[in-house]
Amino acid sequence: DAGVIQSPRHEVTEMGQEVTLRCKPISGHNSLFWYRQTMMRGLELLIYFNNNVPIDDSGMPEDRFSAKMPNASFSTLKIQPSEPRDSAVYFCASALRTEVWDRRQPQHFGDGTRLSIL
Amino acid sequence: QKEVEQDPGPLSVPEGAIVSLNCTYSNSAFQYFMWYRQYSRKGPELLMYTYSSGNKEDGRFTAQVDKSSKYISLFIRDSQPSDSATYLCAMSGRGSTLGRLYFGRGTQLTVWP
C-alpha cells in the first residue's frame, strides 16, 4: 500500500521566494495534518483538515503560511515570502478519523520535505 | 510549559539492555497515548498505541500509562542496534483535543553492539 507521499523531498531556495510543499494522503483517510520539525521545538502541528475542511490552524506561525486541501487526495502548504527561520523539515500525515476509539486509526506520516531558506 | 514533556536525551545503551523512555503531560483530557519511532531522515512511524491507563505489550516493547500521575513509559527489552532512532510520545483526547496529536520533543536512542 502506498503511504503518504510528499514532494519535493528537499528544497533549497533564497529568502523571499515562494515555497510550495505538496502532500498526497493515504487513500480513504479523511484527516490530514501538516507539521514542522526542528531541533529546538520538536514536532509542531501547523494545521489540520477533516474532510478537506481546515479545523485548526492555530499553529500556523503567521500570515506568510497558508494551506489548502482542494480535494481528498491532495494538499499544499505554501510559504510566501520565505525566511531563513522557516528552515525545517515539514511533514504531512493522514488518518482515518472515527468517533469509536477502538477503530480510531493513528496518524501515518510521510518522509517529509527538508526545507532550507538561504 | 509544553503540554507534553519528554527528555531529549541522547540515551546510549549497549545491545541487550533494557531501555526506559518516559513522558509527562499536563492535560487530563488526554486518553489516547502513542509512541512513534523516527529513523534518521524518515517520518515518524507508529510503534505502540494504548487507550487510557494500563499496560500493553508487543514483542520486545511494553507501553505503560499512569493517568493518575500523568506519566507514560515505553520499555524496550533486549535492545538491538536496529532500535537506534528517536522515540516520540504523542497523545490526544476528546472534546477540543479530538483529532490532533500532542507530541513530546523525542528522545534520541543509540544502541551500540
Side-chain angles (χ1 to χ4, degrees), chain A residues 9-10 33 35 37 39-45 48 56 58 91 97-101 104-112 114, chain B residues 2 32 34 36 38 40-46 49-51 86 88 92-94 96-105 108:
Chain A
R9 289 297 312 275
H10 304 273
F33 306 80
Y35 291 89
Q37 188 175 42
M39 290 291 291
M40 289 296 295
R41 300 175 67 87
L43 199 60
E44 301 175 282
L45 177 67
Y48 81 92
D56 183 352
S58 59
F91 288 102
R97 177 181 163 177
T98 71
E99 297 303 319
V100 179
W101 79 266
R104 182 182 294 269
Q105 297 293 317
Q107 295 177 23
H108 298 264
F109 284 75
D111 283 338
R114 189 171 295 270
Chain B
K2 283 178 67 75
Y32 307 97
M34 286 140 276
Y36 281 78
Q38 185 176 20
S40 179
R41 296 186 177 269
K42 303 290 282 185
E45 58 178 341
L46 182 69
Y49 178 71
T50 56
Y51 170 70
T86 297
L88 301 101
S92 70
R94 297 187 181 277
S96 63
T97 66
L98 183 66
R100 65 170 293 175
L101 290 180
Y102 294 80
F103 281 88
R105 283 184 57 190
Q108 186 179 344

Side-chain angles (χ1 to χ4, degrees), chain B residues 1 17 33 40 44 55 72 80 90 93-95 100-101 109 111:
Chain B
Q1 180 191 6
F33 303 93
S40 179
N55 294 359
I72 70 170
Q80 303 294 309
R94 297 187 181 277
R100 65 170 293 175
L101 290 180
L109 171 67
V111 181

